[in-house]
Amino acid sequence: MDELQEKGSPKSVILKELKNRLQKDLTYNSGKNLGSMCAYPHPFAKQIYAEFIEKNLGDPGLFPATAEFEKEVVQMIGSLLSHPEAVGHIVSGGTEANILAMWAARNQGNKERHEIVAPESVHLSIEKSADLLNLRLIKVKLDDSFRMNLEEAKRKISAKTCAIIGVAGTTGLGVVDPIAELSEVAVSNNIPLHVDAAFGGFVLTFLKELGFNVPDFDFQLQGVSSITVDPHKMGLAPIPAGGIVFRNPTTMKAVAKRVTYLAGGETDQTTLLGTRPGASCIAVWALLKHLGRDGYRSRVKRCMDLTIELADEIEKIEGIGLVARPTLNMAGIESREVKVEALAGELRKRGWAIALFPGYIRIVVMPHTRFGHIEDFVKDLKNTVKKLRGR
Ligand code: 0PR
């Protein structure tokens, strides 16, 4: 048990202990982390973050310049998602972004509307939202390509539905739900469609520009009312930096609470948190300005090229296969011959940090992943499968 000491220790002693003990944490550049949707933050963003650490977006009157940067970040993200007039916030992550979207949708609808309709592949944060907001989460089965089954979704939508949720880059496999079709359903039923592009938001548009065949998912589609898009995933920003963008200010204002006593003057808070890290937001602003579309596009291309190489190698290994050809920079490994839990266990013993979902292993190819890391992984994967098949 640790306790707060009466007298402080010298910085050098503390630093030494921190460095020693933190060695236990896997680093991104070890190449062994193939299971995380986060990346080592871009060094420029890290520098900016440290420089403006004291900014608090919870009191925008006290930090008016920081608040302006937040507006501009949202506009830049909005422009990436085909709607520069978007409003929203840089928040703590995809979870908070999804909670905000559900909160706004619930408050905007009438009292009878207390159900949300989402695919089985939806992220846990939507379950948390339903729990917190007293909404009933109605899950829709997936089709053969692991996308939300459209016909079932239509059947489950009713006068009680306050939001439909589609995922653009599912947590497990990175697939994109039929957002264009869901948008039509949303428009004809006058229900907001929330798109969870926490991971896919910083990938899909660039893939499209690179000539990949990816479906539409953003504000181009009239029914899309809000989008979650996380700078701390493929946006390369320091944690915490999630993003929520709304098509209309009125949707966001549905959660507004007036705060009258702040040092910077009265404000309408439209976030879950009060005190919020302005440094995160300023770092995202700086990074978007620094990398530009071109910087992100080239990183996305590298990740996708590597993912395709990995996918091709997985397909060559006897005894295992891909759950689906990758849409994004993620791949799912399944097997009819060996237990994926055993396979994951063996790979983890060899130091690989990989995610294990029911029935498959998820690999995420992030900007810190190099060709050599994939080569090493494939080698271990081959040997492990061989060993397990031999039993
Ligand atoms: N929406 C989707 C589609 C997600 O995949 C995630 C998280 C969220 C929302 C929630 O985002 P926050 O975690 O920012 O609140 N997806 C990652 C996952 O579950 C989160 C993560 C990232 C977990 C890095 C572990 C890790 O090492 O895989």
Side-chain angles (χ1 to χ4, degrees):
M1 196 69 92
D2 213 348
E3 58 182 32
L4 185 60
Q5 293 163 2
E6 179 56 32
K7 285 227 177 306
S9 313
K11 289 180 200 162
S12 58
V13 173
I14 296 168
L15 269 173
K16 201 167 157 209
E17 177 173 350
L18 281 174
K19 288 207 166 135
N20 266 338
R21 290 178 51 192
L22 287 168
Q23 274 176 13
K24 249 204 297 193
D25 292 358
L26 194 61
T27 61
Y28 290 104
N29 63 17
S30 68
K32 290 282 191 179
N33 187 347
L34 296 176
S36 165
M37 282 186 176
C38 291
Y40 191 80
H42 189 287
F44 184 52
K46 195 175 145 181
Q47 177 200 332
I48 299 290
Y49 191 109
E51 197 162 334
F52 301 108
I53 198 77
E54 81 284 6
K55 310 292 187 188
N56 173 14
L57 276 170
D59 196 345
L62 206 53
F63 299 97
T66 309
E68 274 169 32
F69 282 122
E70 186 179 42
K71 276 207 181 84
E72 290 178 22
V73 170
V74 168
Q75 287 162 3
M76 283 192 272
I77 292 178
S79 75
L80 175 68
L81 302 173
S82 314
H83 187 52
E85 298 81 20
V87 295
H89 292 290
I90 295 302
V91 294
S92 61
T95 299
E96 190 189 343
N98 281 340
I99 292 171
L100 270 172
M102 294 304 101
W103 188 13
R106 187 201 67 175
N107 282 10
Q108 233 194 352
N110 62 38
K111 288 245 159 16
E112 279 71 57
R113 293 184 183 266
H114 60 270
E115 291 181 354
I116 53 177
V117 176
E120 277 181 344
S121 53
V122 81
H123 187 260
L124 187 67
S125 49
I126 294 293
E127 284 184 29
K128 291 183 185 172
S129 309
D131 220 350
L132 286 167
L133 296 163
N134 211 11
L135 296 169
R136 188 165 161 238
L137 170 58
I138 300 190
K139 286 199 182 171
V140 176
K141 289 206 172 55
L142 306 183
D143 63 18
D144 292 344
S145 44
F146 308 96
R147 304 175 344 140
M148 187 185 204
N149 183 312
L150 192 63
E151 292 314 311
E152 192 184 321
K154 283 184 191 162
R155 282 197 300 277
K156 290 194 163 163
I157 289 164
S158 73
K160 294 184 198 154
T161 314
C162 72
I164 307 168
I165 298 110
V167 189
T170 56
T171 307
L173 293 170
V175 300
V176 181
D177 283 322
I179 309 290
E181 291 82 353
L182 289 171
S183 164
E184 280 175 22
V185 176
V187 170
S188 59
N189 289 278
N190 198 19
I191 299 169
L193 170 62
H194 172 65
V195 175
D196 183 354
F199 186 76
F202 271 98
V203 186
L204 286 160
T205 308
F206 301 118
L207 283 179
K208 194 172 206 175
E209 289 169 355
L210 288 162
F212 285 84
N213 183 18
V214 291
D216 290 339
F217 74 102
D218 67 11
F219 288 118
Q220 274 173 60
L221 305 166
Q222 282 315 303
V224 175
S225 165
S226 52
I227 305 181
T228 288
V229 46
D230 285 353
H232 74 197
K233 295 190 169 72
M234 281 296 285
L236 300 180
I239 299 168
I244 178 68
V245 280
F246 295 95
R247 179 189 293 277
N248 294 317
T250 43
T251 315
M252 184 170 81
K253 285 186 187 142
V255 301
K257 298 280 175 247
R258 190 86 189 143
V259 194
T260 54
Y261 58 84
L262 296 177
E266 288 190 29
T267 187
D268 274 332
Q269 271 187 4
T270 45
T271 50
L272 188 59
L273 305 190
T275 300
R276 300 189 289 129
S280 298
C281 182
I282 296 171
V284 176
W285 184 92
L287 196 52
L288 291 174
K289 289 281 179 196
H290 178 59
L291 291 178
R293 294 180 87 102
D294 173 59
Y296 281 108
R297 197 184 301 116
S298 59
R299 282 164 176 82
V300 164
K301 179 167 171 24
R302 259 203 67 248
C303 292
M304 203 58 206
D305 287 349
L306 269 185
T307 308
I308 292 166
E309 294 208 30
L310 170 68
D312 292 345
E313 288 301 321
I314 292 168
E315 282 186 327
K316 284 188 216 152
I317 302 175
E318 235 175 284
I320 58 165
L322 289 171
V323 180
R325 284 299 298 182
T327 310
L328 299 180
N329 43 326
M330 287 163 64
I333 305 173
E334 64 176 3
S335 175
R336 292 208 183 119
E337 286 189 40
V338 300
K339 283 209 162 48
V340 281
E341 294 78 9
L343 182 56
E346 287 289 330
L347 290 166
R348 284 172 174 167
K349 264 193 234 160
R350 293 169 195 231
W352 296 103
I354 42 157
L356 177 62
F357 284 73
Y360 64 92
I361 289 168
R362 179 194 72 180
I363 305 297
V364 192
V365 180
M366 293 298 287
H368 52 259
T369 312
R370 307 270 152 236
F371 179 69
H373 304 144
I374 295 292
E375 257 185 341
D376 290 348
F377 176 71
V378 168
K379 216 181 289 164
D380 275 356
L381 183 63
K382 262 186 207 157
N383 289 337
T384 309
V385 173
K386 206 164 156 189
K387 180 176 155 193
L388 290 174
R389 286 176 88 212
R391 272 184 194 157

